[in-house]
Amino acid sequence: MTNKLQIKSFEEYKEKYALSIENPEKFWGDVAEEFQWIKKWDKVLEWNFQEPKVEWFKGAKLNITENALDRHLETRGNKLAIIWEPNDPKQRFVRYTYRELYEHVCQFANALKEKGIKKGDRVCIYMPMIPELAVAVLACARIGAIHSVVFAGFSSSALADRINDAEAKAVITSDGLNRGAKQIPVKRVVDEALESCASVETVIVYDCLGWGPNMEEGRDYWWHEVVAGQPKSCAPEPMDAEDVLFILYTSGSTGKPKGVVHTCGGYMVGAAYTFQNVYQCDESDVYWCTADVGWITGHTYIVYGPLISGTTSVMFEGIPTYPDPGRFWQIIDKHSVNQFLTAPTAIRSLMAHGEDHVLSYSLDSLKILGSVGEPINDEAWKWYHLHVGKERCPIVDNWWQTETGAIMISGIGNISPMKPTFAGYPLPGVNPVLLDQEGKEIQEADVEGYLCIKSPWPSMLRTTYGDHERCRVTYFSTYDGYYFTGDGAKRDQNGMYRIIGRVDDVINVSGHRFGTAEIENAINTNDNVVESAVVGFPHPVKGQSIYAFVVCEKAPEDEVHARGEIVESVVAEIGKIAIPEKIQFVSGLPKTRSGKIMRRILRKIAEGEVSNLGDTSTLLDPNVVDELIEGKL
Ligand code: 6R9
């Protein structure tokens, strides 16, 4: 199906776009015809953003893995589905054809069934970036179990929260994982988490490092043992288009991370349609996305989008700088990668090592470059364009979110015009608007506002797991009748969008989302901490970094030690990825008379912009500000 859905010119884009907004049912109904359904829909779309309730392809039945695997067997059975590149370049890479992947998925699906996992059960996947992670995801989808992948860098406490929220019945994991020069004990983290998870009955462990971890009798099973002798076929579970496909936890501005829920039909259509258009892969192309399957980018653009489209997708276990900062470019040459998708933070970290690493590889195979996860700054854009794309490859900047399920605003291959640091035009079927403070739509050109989406798209979230009201309040109540993204954006005279960044209390560190409340809660678990406030500040490589202002019961005598304790609690509660870059001890926080922390002031201080703090007269104790400025790190 690879080429069927592809837009071939900017003119065609404009036509399709107009049609998709005028008549979304016709547009998406036509797109959906290109997929394999067990039963077609009775109605393409029913929706309201008040409850909210959104249903796509109502009444249809399908199994997404039939689209990602079975459908290709006849025409592409021997084509490579996944090329797996290990952390260590000296280790052999692994290749799975579509037929082999199909067989592995079916065998593992049968193993899950044998362990009593059935349609609707939640399965938590906490695994390294190995092919079995993709197999586990697809095997869940095959039998209708709901997967909840948790990034393997999260701590046992964060993992336990996610397992408990979803009441997962099983966990799929590995003994350990390779990450650059380090090896990390994954199963030990799972064991710790499971001390507080009553719902988990079964743990399946993939033997990655031969470590011989603790295996609990009657609960823990080896992957190779449970798949041994399983049949290589497994009937796909017929799923309702609106049945849940997966849950993925993400951070918001308040409370604990929430489980974003995606459903089978709409997600399938959105993932494949956007993938085929944005990356314009030809049948023989090799595509590589460097994300981790623990994040939405890995779900949609390593596993589902490419496989549904019959593309060869590279999966990489390691990191950009191991064994040296030329690793990405070496892999591109080694596997003749044609489309390459990475994050600005990775580009900036490699830029810092100089051009030599990239200049020693030819990179001739490259056709299209992608950027995702955070705004790309001018300098990184230019470096990527010049040194990686040799000024011949377009850069497609993909703006979207865990909640949107698929790319929303982006360049389309070499078809739509590009402009450095601009994500560009909305994809067909996506209806973005900019709102002002009062919630009125801004129509003019060259404006800035709150980015909202006015009508539904197939791959949008349906709810937040177990708490629909939270979904309504978070996304649909700020501006009545709109989905609010939490991002601010600019629109130029030509209608191209540039994403400025979050306007809520979400910090984007190296393309990973954290809520300020989540980090503050972690810091506050420290016995000596009374309260804390966390803000983001610009960082040359990570985009943003975390700055924590901490009030202690007793002013710490040894600040280095006290900082170490705070770091430890963040690592324990969330994981290393959320460690604050700076921790400043203060005697109080700037609060209004009603007790609200004025983060605006803290942000300015963290950014070092202290000359223009704005109005501080509403503060309960304006003197606090001087102390904060003086102690700034
Ligand atoms: C796909 C993903 C979503 C938030 C989003 C925005 C930021 C993502 C971006 C971008 C500017 C881009 N973001 N892509 N900002 N340009 N191309 O990253 O999902 O982890 O949920 O993060 O990331 O702020 O709201 P997720």
Side-chain angles (χ1 to χ4, degrees), residues 269-502:
V269 171
Y273 180 79
T274 53
F275 174 73
Q276 288 175 35
N277 277 293
V278 171
Y279 287 95
Q280 297 275 325
C281 297
D282 291 331
E283 186 63 43
S284 59
D285 282 350
V286 174
Y287 155 93
W288 178 24
C289 163
T290 70
D292 191 291
V293 175
W295 312 108
I296 191 68
T297 304
H299 280 64
T300 311
Y301 299 109
I302 295 178
V303 181
Y304 286 114
L307 296 179
I308 295 168
S309 308
T311 303
T312 301
S313 177
V314 177
M315 195 172 170
F316 176 44
E317 182 187 30
I319 58 171
T321 48
Y322 180 80
D324 63 61
R327 183 69 166 126
F328 273 4
W329 323 126
Q330 182 243 337
I331 295 174
I332 290 175
D333 278 3
K334 178 171 173 184
H335 299 293
S336 298
V337 171
N338 304 108
Q339 292 83 11
F340 175 69
L341 167 59
T342 194
T345 186
I347 299 167
R348 289 190 298 261
S349 82
L350 296 177
M351 264 167 78
H353 292 279
E355 278 88 82
D356 289 354
H357 294 284
V358 57
L359 295 180
S360 38
Y361 296 94
S362 93
L363 307 182
D364 278 350
S365 56
L366 286 174
K367 296 187 199 169
I368 287 163
L369 300 176
S371 171
V372 67
E374 47 176 323
I376 181 164
N377 52 306
D378 203 47
E379 210 190 339
W381 195 100
K382 289 191 170 129
W383 193 88
Y384 197 27
H385 191 239
L386 176 65
H387 296 300
V388 183
K390 316 289 181 200
E391 292 183 306
R392 100 192 125 66
C393 304
I395 295 179
V396 290
D397 182 355
N398 311 157
W399 175 82
W400 60 298
Q401 310 177 296
T402 305
E403 295 85 342
T404 69
I407 300 171
M408 300 290 276
I409 300 180
S410 172
I412 297 178
N414 51 10
I415 281 162
S416 49
M418 64 175 177
K419 182 167 164 180
T421 77
F422 276 68
Y425 293 101
L427 294 187
V430 175
N431 193 1
V433 290
L434 295 179
L435 301 187
D436 65 15
Q437 295 278 6
E438 275 77 52
K440 280 221 315 284
E441 283 185 30
I442 313 171
Q443 308 289 357
E444 299 82 27
D446 248 335
V447 285
E448 206 174 301
Y450 300 111
L451 181 60
C452 291
I453 315 291
K454 205 174 167 171
S455 47
W457 61 100
S459 63
M460 70 185 289
L461 86 165
R462 299 299 194 267
T463 188
T464 45
Y465 194 75
D467 191 351
H468 192 63
E469 178 60 7
R470 191 168 176 205
C471 170
R472 189 189 69 78
V473 171
T474 312
Y475 305 107
F476 298 91
S477 72
T478 317
Y479 301 107
D480 191 30
Y482 298 90
Y483 166 84
F484 178 42
T485 64
D487 281 321
K490 269 184 190 167
R491 190 175 51 222
D492 74 5
Q493 305 93 326
N494 301 318
M496 292 177 94
Y497 285 87
R498 174 186 187 159
I499 312 303
I500 300 162
R502 302 290 302 200

